[in-house]
């Protein structure tokens, strides 16, 4: 059975549940004010934490040529980018902003072999700011697919201080596989070969593992 929350969230959820139980025992002693309100407040916090770390199942479209979004969120920008050595050519970058209410599990846009994993420490500017893509803490995952390379970049934000990336170099991933998680508000960039037509634009909402964002073209 699949647990409907990301594994990184389990310690936080269990801690909140334990605190709620202790608060309930404290409240049994009677009295009003904070003593009686604490269990309800902590239970609400537990539910919020569980909601943030939710990890729903996703179904990718049947057409294997479609590249799916690596994350839930809002498309901030779509445009060309150069000097990305893993891509080996001018690429198209799709930038997705995840607010605190979005699902924060990232998924593989296309199946292939992980040929690069790179982590770089950095600052924690707000993820929607332009400089966040250059200066913030980030992890990059380069995937070699049968049709060409692509790269998923996880970028920490103002409140996001922990990036988890599951695959490492040499691993194989399938389209829609879970590849990582960023805690709290953050940003994910997807770099694609410029010849692949992109089907999303700024302002669109996407769902990781489900929403087509581009199509493979030889």
């Amino acid at each position: 059975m699949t647990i409907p929350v990301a594994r990184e969230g389990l310690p936080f959820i269990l801690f909140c549940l334990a605190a709620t139980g202790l608060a309930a025992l404290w409240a049994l002693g009677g009295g009003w004010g904070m003593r009686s309100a604490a269990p309800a407040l902590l239970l609400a916090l537990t539910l919020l934490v569980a909601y943030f770390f939710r990890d729903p199942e996703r179904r990718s479209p049947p057409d294997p040529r479609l590249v799916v979004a690596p994350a839930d969120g809002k498309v901030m920008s779509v445009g060309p980018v150069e000097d990305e050595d893993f891509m080996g050519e001018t690429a198209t970058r799709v930038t997705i902003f995840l607010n605190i209410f979005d699902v924060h599990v990232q998924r593989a846009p296309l199946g292939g072999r992980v040929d690069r994993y790179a982590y770089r420490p950095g600052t924690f500017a707000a993820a929607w700011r332009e400089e966040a893509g250059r200066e913030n803490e980030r992890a990059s995952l380069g995937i070699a697919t049968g049709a060409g390379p692509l790269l998923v970049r996880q970028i920490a934000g103002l409140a996001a201080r922990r990036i988890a990336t599951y695959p490492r170099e040499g691993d194989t991933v399938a389209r829609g596989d879970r590849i990582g998680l960023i805690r709290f508000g953050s940003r994910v960039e997807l770099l694609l070969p410029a010849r692949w037509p992109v089907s999303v634009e700024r302002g669109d909402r996407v769902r990781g593992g489900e929403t087509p964002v581009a199509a493979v073209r030889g």
Side-chain angles (χ1 to χ4, degrees), residues 99-187:
N99 66 42
I100 199 169
F101 300 108
D102 286 317
V103 173
H104 275 62
V105 174
Q106 284 81 60
R107 294 176 179 268
L110 209 59
R113 184 186 67 251
V114 176
D115 274 2
R116 175 175 297 182
Y117 166 74
Y119 168 79
R120 192 198 72 183
T123 61
F124 297 97
W128 61 82
R129 297 175 62 176
E130 178 63 28
E131 62 267 27
R134 301 187 303 270
E135 301 172 1
N136 280 19
E137 177 179 334
R138 68 190 192 183
S140 300
L141 202 66
I143 302 174
T145 78
L150 61 80
L151 188 140
V152 178
R153 180 168 292 143
Q154 302 166 287
I155 301 173
L158 183 64
R161 300 300 173 102
R162 177 74 169 86
I163 297 175
T165 309
Y166 305 149
R168 289 295 185 270
E169 293 178 7
D171 290 346
T172 300
V173 295
R175 186 180 58 159
D177 280 356
R178 296 167 175 85
I179 58 172
L181 176 142
I182 316 173
R183 292 180 191 166
F184 311 113
S186 49
R187 170 173 172 169

Side-chain angles (χ1 to χ4, degrees), residues 33-54:
M34 182 56 68
R35 187 165 187 163
S36 60
L41 293 173
L42 287 170
L43 180 59
L45 177 62
T46 302
L47 294 175
L48 285 173
V49 171
Y51 179 76
F52 172 79
F53 283 107
R54 67 196 185 281

Side-chain angles (χ1 to χ4, degrees), residues 20 25 30 50 55 61 66 70 74-75 78-79 92 107 112 132 140 143 153 169 174-175 183 187 197 203 208 211 213:
T20 301
L25 291 175
D55 184 11
L66 295 178
K74 184 177 181 179
V75 176
V78 178
T92 300
R107 294 176 179 268
S140 300
I143 302 174
R153 180 168 292 143
E169 293 178 7
R175 186 180 58 159
R183 292 180 191 166
R187 170 173 172 169
T211 306
V213 297

Side-chain angles (χ1 to χ4, degrees), residues 181-204:
L181 176 142
I182 316 173
R183 292 180 191 166
F184 311 113
S186 49
R187 170 173 172 169
V188 173
E189 294 179 349
L190 171 62
L191 278 71
L192 305 164
R195 66 182 182 276
W196 294 5
V198 174
S199 55
V200 293
E201 57 186 23
R202 181 178 179 181
D204 288 350

Side-chain angles (χ1 to χ4, degrees), residues 25-104:
L25 291 175
W26 181 47
L28 289 175
W32 297 96
M34 182 56 68
R35 187 165 187 163
S36 60
L41 293 173
L42 287 170
L43 180 59
L45 177 62
T46 302
L47 294 175
L48 285 173
V49 171
Y51 179 76
F52 172 79
F53 283 107
R54 67 196 185 281
D55 184 11
E57 292 296 326
R58 294 287 169 80
R59 180 175 296 178
S60 297
D63 188 344
R65 297 170 300 175
L66 295 178
V67 182
V68 297
D72 287 30
K74 184 177 181 179
V75 176
M76 293 174 55
S77 64
V78 178
V81 62
E82 298 180 356
D83 299 324
E84 291 289 346
D85 57 340
F86 179 76
M87 299 301 296
E89 58 184 286
T90 301
T92 300
R93 180 174 60 194
V94 179
T95 303
I96 301 169
F97 173 69
L98 295 74
N99 66 42
I100 199 169
F101 300 108
D102 286 317
V103 173
H104 275 62

